[in-house]
């Protein structure tokens, strides 16, 4: 057996093979590593994982046909030649397919993780082996996290002109600590609800001095990644960590936006009795129409078995709520930030933390009550399960097109504001994925196109259409 193979056991609690390594206790920052070709501009858990990581990337490629066809279509004209991209996203096999696509389209990149738990160490190693400057590993400390971003933003001789961000950390870091570098950025592509929210705040206060593309609100991101990806991965994350049976269990889903809708649908399908909490009457009414009870978290805190936050908000589940919860209640977050559950309020002397598995903590009250906290309140599916490549292909393709658009747009098309991806590109991303299903589109007749006032090649819906 290859010695790197003997080294791996697939951890029960994670999509990563390298979770349970025992000889890797040294921080990656203290290790001197180089690829087989002598490349050293990276910091990953262990470069020896590269072969396994390459296999993970190849598996993801099978489910990401649109990016592969984009590689073929755009490999001649290299639409990203001259682009220098700082990437800060979840560093998964699917992200690697995107990163390698960007490189094939001519870009130079430096990449770090937007979350300290979601990096697949093998994949990061495979990227480094392939000569990509990548600074990320699973289980980074808080300081490591910012150090990795610094290495991607402000390395000597590196002049970034695009940012691909997920959550806004790279953008805000650059703005705060490297304002001169930030001013030279030609465009930011942001994919998360949270990051987009932060961009609009910057824009409102006049601090956004470069154009930005809100990819989250592209239909091909929001309706696919947020909804279908969460619908597919929530059960996986919960089951790998807890072994709980969901049939008949009472589950509270906080927030009935896209992520909440996906989670609630999956749990309902499994036989759970789902209650939704919402602040927005429209989403609350949707939840009612979909057959869910809508209650407040206070109503349900002492009876639900499982709590899932999906709001993009903060302090949705507080210590007060957790004090009321029953023994064995499971608490997890599917939103971008670890602020939805008030985890800091659990770090008090009267409570004992017991790590029972990777990404699973029992918080023990003085009377013996235990609450099961998953991934320390960070997003569950990226921390504890795999995410479906095909849905991420849709998102990744949207991101790639947004970067190409920002980089190639004529001077003046995008000003210092936040933009949506042109509808035609959204439709193009979707069309690239249809062959996978052997789906055949109906073509408008001339008469029908005239009747609807549309071009036969689209766009087929006005910007305000809600899918
Ligand atoms: N885990 C994943 O794979 C994944 C994928 C996409 C997005 N996200 C993240 O999930 C979060 C939600 O994304 P979304 O697309 O569903 O956003 P969304 O805006 O569509 O939905 C959030 C919902 O939460 C509601 N809400 C806000 N505060 C609340 C509160 N205190 N109590 C109850 N409801 C409240 C809002 O009214 C809204 O309907 C974001 O942080 C996003 O970045 C995660």
């Amino acid at each position: 057996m290859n010695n790197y193979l003997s080294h791996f056991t697939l951890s029960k609690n994670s999509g990563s093979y390298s979770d349970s390594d025992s000889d890797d206790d040294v921080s990656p920052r203290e290790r001197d590593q180089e690829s087989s070709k002598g490349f050293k501009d990276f910091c990953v858990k262990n470069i020896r994982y590269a072969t396994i990581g390459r296999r993970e990337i190849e598996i993801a490629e099978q489910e990401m046909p649109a990016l592969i066809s984009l590689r073929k279509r755009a490999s001649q004209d290299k639409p990203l030649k001259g682009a220098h991209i700082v990437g800060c996203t979840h560093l998964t096999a699917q992200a690697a397919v995107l990163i390698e696509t960007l490189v094939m389209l001519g870009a130079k990149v430096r990449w770090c993780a937007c979350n300290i738990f979601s990096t697949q160490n093998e994949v990061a190693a495979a990227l480094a082996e392939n000569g990509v400057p990548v600074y990320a590993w699973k289980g980074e400390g808080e300081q490591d996290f910012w150090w990795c971003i610094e290495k991607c933003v402000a390395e000597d001789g590196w002049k970034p002109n695009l940012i691909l961000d997920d959550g806004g950390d790279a953008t805000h870091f650059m703005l705060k600590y490297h304002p001169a570098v930030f001013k030279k950025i030609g465009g930011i592509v942001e994919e998360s609800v949270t990051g987009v929210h932060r961009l609009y705040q910057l824009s409102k206060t006049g601090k956004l001095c470069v154009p930005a593309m809100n990819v989250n609100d592209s239909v091909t991101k929001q309706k696919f990644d947020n909804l279908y990806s969460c619908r597919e991965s929530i059960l996986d994350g919960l089951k790998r960590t807890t072994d709980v049976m969901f049939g008949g269990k009472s589950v509270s889903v906080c927030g009935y936006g896209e992520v909440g809708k996906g989670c609630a649908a999956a749990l309902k399908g499994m036989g759970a009795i789902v209650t939704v909490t919402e602040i927005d009457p429209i989403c609350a009414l949707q939840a009612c129409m979909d057959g869910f009870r809508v209650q407040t978290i206070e109503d349900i805190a002492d009876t639900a078995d499982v709590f899932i936050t999906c709001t993009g908000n903060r302090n949705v589940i507080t210590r007060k709520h957790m004090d009321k919860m029953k023994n064995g209640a499971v608490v997890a977050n599917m939103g971008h930030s670890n602020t939805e559950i008030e985890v800091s309020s659990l770090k008090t002397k009267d409570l004992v933390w017991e790590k029972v598995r990777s990404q699973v903590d029992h918080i023990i009250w003085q009377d013996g009550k235990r609450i099961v906290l998953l991934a320390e309140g960070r997003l569950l599916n990226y921390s504890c399960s795999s995410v479906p490549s095909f849905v991420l292909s849709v998102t990744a393709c949207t991101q790639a097109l947004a970067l190409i658009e920002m980089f190639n747009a004529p001077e003046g098309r995008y000003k210092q504001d936040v933009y949506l991806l042109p509808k035609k590109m959204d439709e193009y991303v979707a069309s690239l994925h249809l062959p996978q299903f052997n789906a055949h589109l109906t073509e408008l007749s001339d008469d029908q196109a005239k009747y609807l006032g549309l071009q036969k090649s689209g766009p087929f819906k006005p910007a305000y259409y809600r899918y």
Side-chain angles (χ1 to χ4, degrees), residues 166 191-195 216 221-222 225-227 229-230 233 254-261 277-280 283 310-316 333-337 340 379-382 387:
D166 184 341
E191 84 146 273
S192 78
V193 177
T194 304
N216 178 67
K221 156 65 171 71
Q222 196 181 51
D225 185 283
N226 303 27
L227 177 70
S229 170
C230 293
S233 55
C254 304
Y256 201 66
E258 302 300 335
V259 174
K261 286 181 175 77
T277 75
E278 250 300 340
I279 54 160
D280 178 340
C283 299
C310 331
T311 68
N313 202 345
R314 63 204 293 259
N315 295 338
V316 175
N333 169 47
M334 284 288 282
H336 182 85
S337 327
E340 303 216 12
L379 88 183
L380 175 73
N381 55 346
Y382 276 93
V387 273

Side-chain angles (χ1 to χ4, degrees), residues 342-354:
E342 199 190 10
V343 175
S344 59
S345 74
L346 296 174
K347 294 185 172 157
T348 51
K349 285 202 181 110
D350 57 326
L351 300 182
V352 175
W353 284 56
E354 193 178 293

Side-chain angles (χ1 to χ4, degrees), residues 196-386:
V196 163
H197 179 64
R198 294 171 81 182
L199 277 178
Y200 282 113
Q201 278 177 335
L202 277 186
S203 168
K204 243 192 225 163
T205 50
K207 290 187 191 147
L208 187 67
C209 54
V210 301
M213 190 81 85
N214 163 4
V215 164
N216 178 67
D217 290 285
S218 302
V219 184
T220 46
K221 156 65 171 71
Q222 196 181 51
K223 294 283 169 182
F224 293 82
D225 185 283
N226 303 27
L227 177 70
Y228 299 122
S229 170
C230 293
R231 195 178 73 181
E232 296 258 347
S233 55
I234 174 84
L235 296 176
D236 187 18
L238 286 169
K239 284 197 167 288
R240 282 194 207 203
T241 45
T242 65
D243 304 332
V244 161
M245 175 166 171
F246 287 92
K249 287 280 185 328
S250 167
V251 181
S252 170
V253 173
C254 304
Y256 201 66
E258 302 300 335
V259 174
K261 286 181 175 77
C263 294
L267 287 156
K268 186 181 180 182
M270 191 58 104
I273 300 156
V274 179
T275 302
V276 164
T277 75
E278 250 300 340
I279 54 160
D280 178 340
I282 298 178
C283 299
L285 186 59
Q286 285 181 311
C288 294
M289 294 296 198
D290 288 339
F292 299 110
R293 286 201 72 188
V294 176
Q295 290 192 301
T296 65
I297 186 75
E298 284 75 19
D299 290 336
I300 188 124
D302 56 346
T303 51
D305 300 296
V306 182
F307 297 81
I308 315 283
T309 52
C310 331
T311 68
N313 202 345
R314 63 204 293 259
N315 295 338
V316 175
I317 293 183
T318 62
R319 171 69 188 264
K320 202 171 71 182
H321 303 131
M322 291 184 276
D323 281 340
K324 280 175 76 181
M325 285 177 192
K326 61 187 191 189
N327 184 38
V330 176
V331 184
N333 169 47
M334 284 288 282
H336 182 85
S337 327
N338 58 344
T339 50
E340 303 216 12
I341 302 161
E342 199 190 10
V343 175
S344 59
S345 74
L346 296 174
K347 294 185 172 157
T348 51
K349 285 202 181 110
D350 57 326
L351 300 182
V352 175
W353 284 56
E354 193 178 293
K355 181 157 269 327
V356 296
R357 283 177 175 167
S358 162
Q359 311 290 6
V360 186
D361 287 292
H362 282 183
I363 320 296
I364 308 164
W365 265 249
Q366 286 192 333
D367 63 0
K369 175 182 100 171
R370 282 167 189 255
I371 282 188
V372 183
L373 177 68
L374 304 183
E376 293 174 30
R378 294 176 195 273
L379 88 183
L380 175 73
N381 55 346
Y382 276 93
S383 306
C384 307
S385 74
S386 61

Side-chain angles (χ1 to χ4, degrees), residues 20-32:
S20 53
D21 284 350
S22 55
D23 64 342
D24 277 342
D25 290 341
V26 184
S27 162
R29 283 172 67 177
E30 285 159 30
R31 297 176 136 206
D32 191 20

